[in-house]
Amino acid sequence: MNSTGNNNTTLEDLARLAGVSISTVSRALNDHPLISTRTKQRIWALARDHEYPFRRHMPAAPIGAEGSIAIVTPHMRGGPLPLSHPFFLELLANIGEAARARGCDFTVSHTAPTDYDDLVSVVTTSRASGVIFLGQSMLHEEFNRLAATNARFVVWGARMPGQAYGTVGSDNLLGGRRATLHLARLGRKKILFLGGSDPEAEQRRRGYLEGLKESGLEVDPKLAAQVEFELESAEAAVTRLLRRHIAFDGIIAASDLIALGAIRALRRAGLSVPHDVSVVGYDDMLLARLSTPALSTIRQNTEEAGRKLVSRVLDPNPDHQPEHLPTDLIIRESCGG
């Protein structure tokens, strides 16, 4: 940055330096289509060099992009969703690939909405073409209110009763049920569920309960543990159950990361997977395929999810109906059959 610059630089100063009119400078800073790319870049460079506060005027995406998408993670229990979470990293990558295929850029917002006002702020202050929210958290009713505005957004998450906004997600109920039925067919009688209180995990738990009843197995309240989408949380929960001598021979986990944490706790206790305990996760992350033993899981197609989410915010007449992506039971080593 030019050391002679100062925060008192005006549009008139930029116009004089660039040898153009004030209106041309204003239009260039606002990415007006009548101003050539070369002129815009020259004026932006001058604005930077002379410390003109031009960022609020900048286009939502670099020149040449068809548009831009803002990615927002609502506030989860205890704080924002960690951007390092493996499943969401894979989902973000596939959103990015889908955006690239459409000639579109995307940014990950620093904000983590906790209420309706936060949601409104995100969609009204962003210059992006649309917003993708990665999860509903506990904001279902707030998203319903937001849907009554002209905001362009879509949510990666669960289909909820009375829903007025668009979502893309897997059939969580079916996924939980299929995983449970599979373990029951393998002869597992005491199947533990590990998951949190978010809408997706709750639906997977309901599928688990349906699977137990369909298999004629007892629903035991002790065979459920509240955990977050974290490896350490699952490891600690399973360790506590083992110390209380609560017997189980199968685990349905609401995510692959939870399943991997459970396996770590079982190994530490000297139990074998799948000989002593069969384990099924949910997501089919890359880590599930690379783990030892390889993790059986319910696959969520993040590549298709990325395409669907991007099209929902870029297409001229987006579909606002909830959409379920197919869920597949992927059988690997951790369930034993």
Side-chain angles (χ1 to χ4, degrees):
M1 184 173 290
N2 191 325
S3 61
T4 62
N6 60 71
N7 292 327
N8 296 320
T9 302
T10 64
L11 284 176
E12 289 84 354
D13 295 331
L14 294 179
R16 176 177 51 79
L17 290 166
V20 297
S21 67
I22 294 173
S23 63
T24 296
V25 171
S26 178
R27 287 177 176 176
L29 292 175
N30 283 282
D31 196 28
H32 196 287
L34 292 181
I35 306 301
S36 70
T37 298
R38 180 172 296 180
T39 299
K40 289 175 185 177
Q41 292 174 332
R42 181 160 57 92
I43 291 172
W44 291 345
L46 286 169
R48 263 194 308 273
D49 288 345
H50 292 271
E51 299 183 358
Y52 182 78
F54 70 102
R55 287 188 179 275
R56 66 181 182 272
H57 300 288
M58 292 293 286
I63 289 178
E66 295 297 322
S68 71
I69 296 170
I71 312 296
V72 177
T73 57
H75 201 275
M76 307 296 281
R77 288 173 61 89
L81 177 77
L83 294 179
S84 59
H85 192 288
F87 172 74
F88 285 100
L89 282 177
E90 292 187 22
L91 183 57
L92 275 172
N94 281 294
I95 290 172
E97 291 296 339
R100 175 185 289 175
R102 297 285 297 265
C104 178
D105 285 287
F106 77 99
T107 58
V108 179
S109 174
H110 71 283
T111 58
T114 60
D115 55 29
Y116 177 70
D117 289 339
D118 288 345
L119 295 181
V120 171
S121 177
V122 166
V123 298
T124 57
T125 60
S126 170
R127 299 191 63 199
S129 307
V131 179
I132 295 174
F133 292 95
L134 297 186
Q136 286 133 314
S137 184
M138 301 301 164
L139 298 175
H140 169 60
E141 294 301 333
E142 288 77 6
F143 278 122
N144 269 348
R145 289 178 62 190
L146 190 65
T149 71
N150 62 357
R152 182 176 283 263
F153 73 97
V154 66
V155 178
W156 165 261
R159 178 185 294 182
M160 304 285 284
Q163 183 172 318
Y165 55 94
T167 53
V168 175
S170 70
D171 190 336
N172 298 295
L173 199 69
L174 177 60
R177 176 174 165 270
R178 291 181 68 181
T180 306
L181 289 174
H182 179 65
L183 290 194
R185 283 193 294 267
L186 294 177
R188 301 302 182 175
K189 303 296 184 184
K190 293 184 175 294
I191 302 173
L192 168 69
F193 180 83
L194 300 174
S197 58
D198 61 283
E200 291 174 290
E202 178 58 27
Q203 290 183 0
R204 293 165 195 175
R205 186 186 71 84
R206 284 170 48 204
Y208 152 81
L209 293 174
E210 287 185 4
L212 290 181
K213 292 176 182 177
E214 191 172 336
S215 302
L217 297 177
E218 177 187 0
V219 176
D220 185 348
K222 296 192 297 294
L223 295 179
Q226 186 86 2
V227 302
E228 302 307 319
F229 281 95
E230 300 168 354
L231 186 147
E232 293 80 9
S233 178
E235 184 177 7
V238 171
T239 298
R240 286 194 297 270
L241 291 171
L242 292 172
R243 287 174 178 169
R244 291 166 55 196
H245 303 290
I246 293 176
F248 52 89
D249 55 11
I251 293 177
I252 303 297
S255 77
D256 287 347
L257 210 57
I258 290 173
L260 294 175
I263 290 173
R264 195 157 75 173
L266 293 170
R267 282 180 165 171
R268 183 171 294 173
L271 296 171
S272 170
V273 176
H275 179 73
D276 297 314
V277 182
S278 293
V279 180
V280 179
Y282 202 111
D283 287 333
D284 195 28
M285 304 183 311
L286 177 61
L287 287 176
R289 287 159 258 169
L290 300 179
S291 68
T292 304
L295 183 64
S296 297
T297 186
I298 299 294
R299 174 179 290 165
Q300 298 196 92
N301 189 333
T302 55
E303 185 176 345
E304 181 66 14
R307 288 194 292 267
K308 295 285 187 183
L309 290 166
V310 169
S311 67
R312 288 289 187 103
V313 294
L314 292 183
D315 290 350
N317 298 300
D319 184 1
H320 296 293
Q321 295 300 311
E323 183 167 1
H324 274 162
L325 299 177
T327 51
D328 298 311
L329 173 63
I330 307 301
I331 300 173
R332 298 194 180 100
E333 298 167 351
S334 69
C335 63

